[in-house]
Amino acid sequence: LIEQALEESSHSLDIQVTALRELAQNLTITSRSLAEPFLERLLASDRPIELRIEAAVGLSKLDQQLGIGFIPEAASSPEAGIRYLAARALGQLRAERSEGLLLELLKDDVSYVNEEAAFSLARAGGASSAIALGNYLLAEGRPESAYRTAINSLISIGSPSGLPYLLDALRSDEFHWLIKTSIIRAIGLLPGSGDLELEERRESVLL
């Protein structure tokens, strides 16, 4: 039925993308024999890149290496909307190459693209992701939503590598009290925060 919906030219691209996304999210072992060849044909076709990104996500759920090869092309697209979709897809792939591509998209000049990359990095995890998100948090001039995304992603990753950046952000005049409340919460949730509190107290006594 989904393949038929994709073939119907009367359906808008949004409807086709939604149909394919539903397929990718509801794949089962029993549907694999039907879905895999269909998704492979779609990925290799000249259909809109939005559809091929969703096909890549679906294939990655069957085998991580099947879908990841296509995503770098989308991540380097001159269109910000396509780069955004690539960042979103990378958060679902969880393949080894996802983190490196997301770290590049985190530097994107378009705010909604780099913010989606920050959100997706929470799924990639790891100390290098936490460090990159820490630097992202400390960059000035970002929208408030980007700061909140970075803080929540650091909490999700749960790496102590993010603590020094959160402390620097807490000392910064860049953030208003609501953001600083979120930063304090994040510090308390990350492992190693107790040691940092002791160090902070020691520094305050010396000063």
Side-chain angles (χ1 to χ4, degrees):
L1 288 175
I2 290 176
E3 187 171 1
Q4 182 179 353
L6 292 173
E7 294 300 328
E8 287 287 341
S9 59
S10 59
H11 292 314
S12 70
L13 181 59
D14 285 343
I15 291 176
Q16 293 179 55
V17 168
T18 300
L20 191 54
R21 191 171 295 161
E22 285 297 315
L23 172 64
Q25 290 176 351
N26 293 286
L27 286 174
T28 63
I29 294 175
T30 54
S31 66
R32 175 170 182 159
S33 60
L34 294 174
E36 187 172 333
F38 165 61
L39 292 172
E40 286 180 333
R41 289 196 307 273
L42 185 58
L43 188 60
S45 72
D46 59 354
R47 300 295 293 276
I49 195 169
E50 293 90 341
L51 291 176
R52 286 183 284 150
I53 288 173
E54 294 300 332
V57 171
L59 282 169
S60 75
K61 295 190 176 185
L62 302 174
D63 182 333
Q64 284 192 344
Q65 299 310 313
L66 287 174
I68 188 64
F70 171 73
I71 300 299
E73 176 186 336
S76 60
S77 169
E79 296 183 38
I82 300 302
R83 298 196 303 277
Y84 166 82
L85 291 175
R88 178 185 174 278
L90 286 165
Q92 300 176 67
L93 293 179
R94 302 187 186 184
E96 291 180 3
R97 291 173 58 192
S98 292
E99 186 179 20
L101 291 169
L102 284 170
L103 291 176
E104 288 301 313
L105 287 167
L106 194 66
K107 305 171 190 172
D108 200 283
D109 293 335
V110 179
S111 61
Y112 68 85
V113 175
N114 61 54
E115 189 172 339
E116 186 64 25
F119 179 77
S120 290
L121 273 172
R123 298 181 181 180
S128 56
S129 292
I131 291 169
L133 284 166
N135 286 314
Y136 177 85
L137 174 64
L138 293 175
E140 296 182 1
R142 296 196 189 282
E144 182 175 320
S145 59
Y147 294 131
R148 292 192 179 279
T149 297
I151 293 166
N152 290 330
S153 293
L154 285 168
I155 292 172
S156 296
I157 291 172
S159 170
S161 298
L163 285 170
Y165 301 93
L166 289 167
L167 286 171
D168 285 347
L170 193 59
R171 299 186 191 105
S172 172
D173 295 330
E174 174 75 11
F175 307 103
H176 59 68
W177 68 271
L178 282 173
I179 294 291
K180 289 196 173 185
T181 299
S182 298
I183 292 170
I184 291 169
R185 174 175 172 269
I187 291 171
L189 290 172
L190 292 184
S193 59
D195 295 338
L196 275 173
E197 279 184 32
L198 290 174
E199 187 61 33
E200 286 284 292
R201 289 177 187 173
R202 190 179 297 115
E203 286 182 10
S204 66
V205 170
L206 292 174
L207 292 173

